[in-house]
Amino acid sequence: KDSVPLASSLTADPRFRAVEGDIFERLAQAPRKTYDAILIDVDHNPEELLDQKNAAFYTPEGLSAARAHLNTGGVLAIWSSAENDAFARTLGKVFSDIKIEAVHWRNELLEDEEEQRDDLFMARD
């Protein structure tokens, strides 16, 4: 908790709720409720998965199932350690508004002077 920026503010918000489980399994099911934002930072990127079963999420069908969990105007945001034009095109098949934001950062824990680049894929209708 202390290592996550703004963690204290986020967890103090009465709307915040942490739930343990598999986010990809939950998004594949019919929604019990909908959200303004769904933030995904599970795999390294859509091609470098931590578990091969996550691959279904990155397909048009998986993204469509996730979209059903969003309120009108809600945002699906996916952190990626690499650029991925193919995934951006797949998002564009499901969502009408796609934005990719490059995030530049340094890993201070590794005392690495080299700047890293990750991408944040954001999609909404």
Side-chain angles (χ1 to χ4, degrees), residues 44-118:
H44 297 297
N45 62 65
E47 293 180 1
E48 190 179 347
L49 308 176
L50 294 178
D51 188 325
Q52 194 55 41
K53 72 178 184 169
N54 300 348
F57 170 77
Y58 299 98
T59 66
E61 297 79 17
L63 295 169
S64 292
R67 188 177 88 191
H69 292 260
L70 290 169
N71 291 325
T72 302
V75 175
L76 174 66
I78 303 160
W79 192 273
S80 174
S81 65
E83 297 177 67
N84 192 313
D85 292 335
F87 181 62
R89 286 190 298 276
T90 301
L91 276 172
K93 293 176 182 176
V94 177
F95 293 90
S96 61
D97 186 13
I98 307 299
K99 181 177 180 183
I100 303 167
E101 188 75 32
V103 179
H104 300 275
W105 59 282
R106 285 190 170 76
N107 189 339
E108 295 174 7
L109 297 174
L110 298 177
E111 299 179 15
D112 188 357
E113 294 296 319
E114 186 176 331
E115 185 174 82
Q116 306 292 314
R117 177 199 165 140
D118 288 349

